[in-house]
Amino acid sequence: MTLSARAGYRGWALLLAFFALAALGSAPAAQRASPAPTQDTEFAGLVKEWTTKPEFMSPLVDHLPKRVGVPTPKDVLGYYIGEPKKLTYWADQQKWYRALEKALPARLKTSVIGKTEEGREIMVVYVSSEANIKNLEQNRQNLKKLADPRALTPGEVQQLLATTKPHYNLSGGLHSGETNPPEMLMELAYRLAVSEEPYIQQIRDNVIVSLVPTTDIDGRDRYVDWYYAYKIDEPYDGGENYGGPPYWGKYVFHDNNRDINYGVDTLRTYLNWYLQWVPPIWHDLHEAQTLLYTFSGQPPNSLNLDPILYTELPFFATYEVNKLTGYGMPGVWHFGFVDTWSPGYLAFAASNHNGMIRMYEIFNQGGANTKKARLQGPATQRQWFRPNPAPAGEVDWSIRNSINYSETGVLTALELTSTFPQMVVENFYRKTMNSLEAGSTKAPHAFVIPGGQRDQTQVDRVVNLLRRQAIEVHRASGEIKVKDGTFPAGSYVVKLNQPYGRFAKTLLEKQNYPDPQLQTYDDSAWTMGLANNIEVKTIEDKTILDAPGERLGADVQTRAAISGSGSTYAVKHTGALNLITLRYRLKDLPVRGAKANFKIGTDEFPAGSFLISTSGAQGDRVRKEIESLGLVATTVASMPDVQTVDVDLPRIAIYTTWSNTEKVGWVRLAFDRWEIPFDLIHKDHVQNGANLRAKYDVIVMPHQGNSGKGIVFEQPKLSKPLPYKKSDRFKSMGMYAETDDTRGGMGIDGVAEFAKFVEQGGLLMTFGVSSYFPTEFGVTRTVDAQRPSGTWYAPGPYVQTEILRAEHPVMYGYSGKTLPVRWGDGPLLQIAGAGFGGGGGADAPSAPPVPTRPDSPTIIARFTGGDPGVLSGLMRGADQIRNRPAIVDAPVGKGHVILYVNNPIYRWQTFGEHALVFNALLFHNDLPAPGAKPATTTAAAPPQ
Ligand SMILES: [Zn+2]
């Protein structure tokens, strides 16, 4: 871009200022009375200095208006937004928004909507005109009515469409390493509240803007701590990179944008807020692309999303590309990055609920230092969707550059919204009407979760997860007979002629991936029936829409009645995850576990069922706990005649690397939710002489890193150590674990300690990619690991496994011959000397190998493989997993390693696989010796 062109933009800014003054002349009395804004010349000078090239600036943000009586960011924070080496903690952000609210309460309002895991306030900020802020609640109610227009007359709809303002929600800081949007939003709020430029007046008048200033608030503070502790000293020339803190929020890192079931409390708070306010647009600001990518939804596309969405997305995106390109800003593009397949991203809540997710990815260097950056790759290449790419090569990049881009983009998007406000509201309404229509006129018309399934707790969970998303669920009041089947009273029915019917379909149906050649940005499958191992029936018969039943008004929790009056409780193991919670809640009482099926009267109790002898007051307590956990039980006068073991509680450690804490976090979350205590251990705890066996019975090594080597060696040490420790200055560091240096890794000494732990009788459990660790490093000498090859591509499909050892404790509570699991990126396992261990390919015999050595592994389950074995989503190269072991119990010395190729605790999602882990914990010291024969079913005990 040329200098004269730049001058043109400056001129345009002056013109804007002129219009601003002219507009005042015809403004309403209230506005005329407000003092004319003046410009902050100090700001203008500084941002010019901080912006590393003129083309990284725009006429929308090169100036800052002042208004008497309203503090600027510098007045409150001590610095302007975008000053190098300044990042703002959450408490200071709150201070700023509250100062602004105090000065301009008629235009800006803050609201606390909940608390984070670490107890910080979650805040939403609303900015709009005086009239709109006054009318905020009414407008919210209008949008809610349009979100479910079933009870409205056409006249009421017209009235609502004519009087309702679009609500545009912006969020930043979901990913804590993407530091700058929370800074930018502070300046944006000020500009929107104070500026009298005509286009901003128009935004205020026509749009209700809300800000989630920082989404992962705990992570923000931890990242800012880390920044001030280390990153502020990073070399200017891009030499050493001091990374980021090992934790953002309490549990998960980047996956906070993948919590499809909103299992993390903070994330659920945002969903609840969304469902209360239903902003038609939720625009989430990220930083990971060069220089600004604006989401327009490339294939694969979910066909359950409305065609209107696929026109709104590029409508907004191309407008932004057009305007910013016009300002001379290079590197602004759309299309070629993120698809619209997975519904699991946080802000996708909007698209899932007939609104629109919008998303940016802006260039960032993980902090506020001005540093050299090397721009390269596709983002520097011209494409139809990237007409003015970023220049390839080295460039100085500052935090202010990032802010200029994101703020200019957002102001442009808001300006577009304010130009077509009724279009946004009307599209929102139209998409809902289309959803109602689709469920009524096109099959499928419903999904039924049949009553009488084996484990009602799992069914209840699915129903409650659907309800969490505002999906309506009915409970059938009588038997349902439709062409697709007959279902008993009490079955749950999800009728699709409801506002979020298409979203329900997305969650419940099989994901038919449209084109195996297409990559997707996240998972290719999430089918809830498969993820929860419950039966869900697709209903094509339209008469289902008339099936009688009541619509659930609250979450369900089935409380099974406990029959009998004996003092011994028999608790059925039907796969309920709450069984382990019961064991922990009764940790002071002895609990026996049945080694085989048994009967009480005609009632079948599967292996793994609990038997608890009680007396007096303990009996009441046990009864209460069983009932509150929704478990199925009966009482008998005495112990049934069945072989049992003590269900001892293990001392558990979860092993984490420092370089990859995220998937570990989901396991920590699940253990916390099911009340399973554990120590979180890391490289420092497994050094030479650690004597792990003296401390622990079980070590769980969740999915982490990319390989066994990645787990052992993590990241190389740097020229200076990077401690993660609590201090007075950096209070959020050292939480969840502490170390003097996050770099390094356990090394070979650590491997030896793990080997000793197992040989001395410990149980090591490895999930997903962690199953490379015991195989690559020889902890299990009889199991080898290979990697898939060729054009293999498997973004999280659900695949079929065949259960080979139904009697193994890991399989307690599972009744079928098969079990769907999510592909968890574990290794292709091979049992030494046994082909794939029971199968050498398509025509290998199907019987598992007979163990012949003391350390011969047992293959508990294996993948069926091939395309028919892919139950939902995409696996390219599915023949490679044919007959490969899925779960292996490998004895080593006195102990065991259980290798899961799946990741049985994946996000807050694979609940159907969790019991594979919980069983191993409960029966950790009752695992069969190699070659052991299954215990036999015993005779029925008399009923009581
Ligand atoms: Zn991000």
Side-chain angles (χ1 to χ4, degrees), residues 69 71 96-105 108:
W96 160 244
Y97 287 111
R98 285 178 170 146
L100 208 48
E101 180 181 32
K102 197 169 168 217
L104 268 176
L108 186 141

Side-chain angles (χ1 to χ4, degrees), residues 445-609:
H445 295 287
F447 290 85
V448 169
I449 306 174
Q453 299 199 37
R454 221 158 139 269
D455 174 20
Q456 191 63 28
T457 64
Q458 211 85 300
V459 169
D460 289 351
R461 179 177 307 109
V462 171
V463 167
N464 293 339
L465 290 176
L466 292 168
R467 292 194 69 261
R468 175 175 293 178
Q469 297 272 15
I471 290 166
E472 294 167 3
V473 182
H474 286 75
R475 188 193 280 119
S477 53
E479 188 180 78
I480 299 174
K481 269 193 173 164
V482 289
K483 289 196 189 95
D484 311 88
T486 302
F487 307 101
S491 296
Y492 292 111
V493 184
V494 182
K495 299 178 181 179
L496 299 187
N497 60 342
Q498 57 168 303
Y500 306 138
R502 288 183 298 195
F503 178 38
K505 181 168 176 280
T506 297
L507 293 174
L508 291 166
E509 73 184 355
K510 171 188 176 183
Q511 273 75 56
N512 288 306
Y513 200 78
D515 178 351
Q517 297 316 310
L518 288 175
Q519 298 250 340
T520 184
Y521 195 64
D522 197 63
D523 282 346
S524 62
W526 46 82
T527 311
M528 286 181 92
L530 298 174
N532 291 276
N533 191 28
I534 64 165
E535 192 190 351
V536 178
K537 288 286 285 185
T538 308
I539 307 297
E540 309 269 328
D541 185 342
K542 195 179 171 179
T543 62
I544 190 76
L545 297 178
D546 303 319
E550 64 153 331
R551 185 170 138 192
L552 298 177
D555 280 359
V556 291
Q557 195 202 346
T558 309
R559 281 169 179 255
I562 299 177
S563 58
S565 57
S567 62
T568 295
Y569 286 78
V571 187
K572 255 186 209 183
H573 194 340
T574 53
L577 303 181
N578 288 347
L579 198 68
I580 197 165
T581 311
L582 177 72
R583 182 65 194 100
Y584 275 99
R585 289 194 185 170
L586 304 177
K587 60 173 179 267
D588 54 313
L589 300 181
V591 171
R592 306 285 300 172
K595 283 193 76 178
N597 300 350
F598 64 95
K599 278 185 175 178
I600 296 176
T602 54
D603 205 2
E604 284 268 5
F605 282 72
S609 294

